């Protein structure tokens, strides 16, 4: 009679672990039960039990797989910018918190580069928002191809991006910022119209939180814009 507890147990298994692991667990369970069930039941009862187990496992696997994919989609929606695929502001806040905590625990240095497209409103007004969206996508690709695998890229405003560089000091961050500025300037993103970026760079300091750090980079960015744009400014 206790065999019927296998059905809720299988359902729970598919929801508690990954689908592939649950399939392996279900197969091991069936293989373990087989020697105990065969002597106690006739062929018809045994066939019914294992057919029902198979159907239950199949439905549980299907629902578990759908739920897992939906969870992944929700995670992407919650942490990714839908236009460019870069991380969004929520993801940036999480990353800044992680980096600040790592700095406080072990002194792991980090820097960030705040990026803003120059005169982007003029581009939208002259060429339309569809062209503006394409420019944002292309700029994202340029930035993403140049930064390191350990760096993280986020879009936090209409035309504003942030690169978080874990393990990089101010000198390394400034070097990367200048490379990014040069690459964007060299690419003809719009015919007969230069598209450039201004950048503010800040290294994480002792006693700062994520907002303080980002604010210093923002102040540096405004200095770069005041200096004529298409330039990089450093926060001391």
């Amino acid at each position: 009679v206790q065999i019927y507890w296998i059905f809720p147990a299988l359902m729970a298994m598919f929801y508690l672990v990954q689908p592939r692991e649950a399939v392996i667990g279900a197969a091991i369970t069936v293989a373990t039960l087989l020697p105990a069930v065969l002597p106690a039941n006739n062929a018809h009862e045994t066939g019914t039990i294992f057919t029902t187990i198979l159907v239950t496992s199949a439905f549980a696997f299907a629902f578990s797989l759908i739920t897992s994919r939906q969870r992944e989609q929700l995670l992407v929606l919650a942490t990714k910018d839908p236009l460019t695929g870069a991380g969004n502001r929520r993801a940036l806040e999480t990353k800044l918190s992680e980096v600040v905590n790592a700095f406080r625990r072990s002194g792991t240095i980090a820097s960030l580069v705040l990026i803003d497209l120059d005169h982007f409103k003029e581009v939208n007004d002259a060429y339309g928002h569809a062209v503006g969206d394409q420019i944002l996508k292309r700029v994202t690709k340029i930035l993403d191809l140049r930064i390191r695998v350990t760096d993280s890229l986020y879009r936090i405003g209409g035309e504003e991006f942030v690169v978080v560089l874990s393990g990089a000091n101010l000198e390394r961050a400034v070097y990367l910022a200048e490379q990014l500025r040069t690459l964007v300037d060299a690419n003809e993103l719009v015919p007969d119209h230069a598209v450039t970026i201004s950048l503010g760079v800040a290294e994480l300091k002792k006693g700062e939180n994520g907002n303080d750090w980002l604010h210093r980079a923002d102040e540096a960015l405004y200095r770069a814009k005041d200096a004529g744009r298409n330039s990089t400014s450093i926060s001391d």
Side-chain angles (χ1 to χ4, degrees):
V1 175
Q2 303 304 317
I3 188 65
Y4 298 108
W5 284 103
I6 190 62
F7 301 116
L10 286 173
M11 294 291 292
M13 187 186 302
F14 277 95
Y15 282 96
L16 291 174
V17 299
Q18 294 294 323
R20 184 175 298 180
E21 297 172 354
V23 169
I24 296 173
I28 293 173
T29 301
V30 170
T32 304
L33 286 175
L34 194 60
V37 172
L38 282 175
N41 298 276
N42 57 45
H44 175 73
E45 289 174 334
T46 301
T48 300
I49 289 170
F50 283 101
T51 299
T52 309
I53 288 175
L54 180 62
V55 172
T56 301
S57 298
F59 277 107
F61 174 75
F63 283 117
S64 177
L65 200 60
I66 291 171
T67 301
S68 179
R69 288 175 179 173
Q70 289 176 337
R71 188 183 302 112
E72 291 174 359
Q73 291 172 354
L74 288 173
L75 182 61
V76 169
L77 290 173
T79 60
K80 296 289 185 181
D81 172 56
L83 176 64
T84 63
N88 60 17
R89 182 174 285 275
R90 177 181 296 178
L92 173 63
E93 290 173 355
T94 301
K95 181 64 175 181
L96 291 180
S97 179
E98 292 174 356
V99 172
V100 169
N101 288 335
F103 178 72
R104 290 172 179 172
R105 287 195 308 268
S106 57
T108 304
I109 59 174
S111 299
L112 60 80
V113 179
L114 188 57
I115 304 165
D116 190 76
L117 273 70
D118 298 326
H119 302 298
F120 189 68
K121 186 179 183 301
E122 295 178 7
V123 175
N124 274 333
D125 292 342
Y127 298 95
H129 289 282
V131 173
D133 288 347
Q134 291 302 314
I135 292 173
L136 290 172
K137 290 179 182 179
R138 292 184 64 184
V139 168
T140 301
K141 187 174 182 180
I142 292 169
L143 301 178
D144 203 30
L145 286 173
R146 179 57 193 87
I147 63 177
R148 304 171 303 173
V149 177
T150 54
D151 300 334
S152 306
L153 176 64
Y154 306 88
R155 181 187 176 204
I156 61 171
E159 65 274 10
E160 200 167 45
F161 296 84
V162 176
V163 180
V164 179
L165 296 85
S166 300
N169 60 16
L170 185 63
E171 182 181 359
R172 173 76 181 105
V174 171
Y175 178 74
L176 174 64
E178 276 298 292
Q179 287 190 317
L180 296 177
R181 185 187 63 79
T182 304
L183 284 171
V184 173
D185 191 21
N187 279 268
E188 189 177 353
L189 300 177
V190 179
D192 303 320
H193 191 291
V195 176
T196 61
I197 57 176
S198 297
L199 308 95
V201 185
E203 182 178 346
L204 181 59
K205 291 184 176 181
K206 187 176 181 180
E208 281 188 321
N209 58 34
N211 289 332
D212 298 333
W213 185 21
L214 189 60
H215 180 68
R216 283 199 300 111
D218 192 47
E219 290 178 335
L221 173 63
Y222 274 100
R223 288 196 295 272
K225 287 186 171 292
D226 291 340
R229 293 181 168 81
N230 192 21
S231 61
T232 300
S233 180
I234 305 170
S235 175
D236 296 329

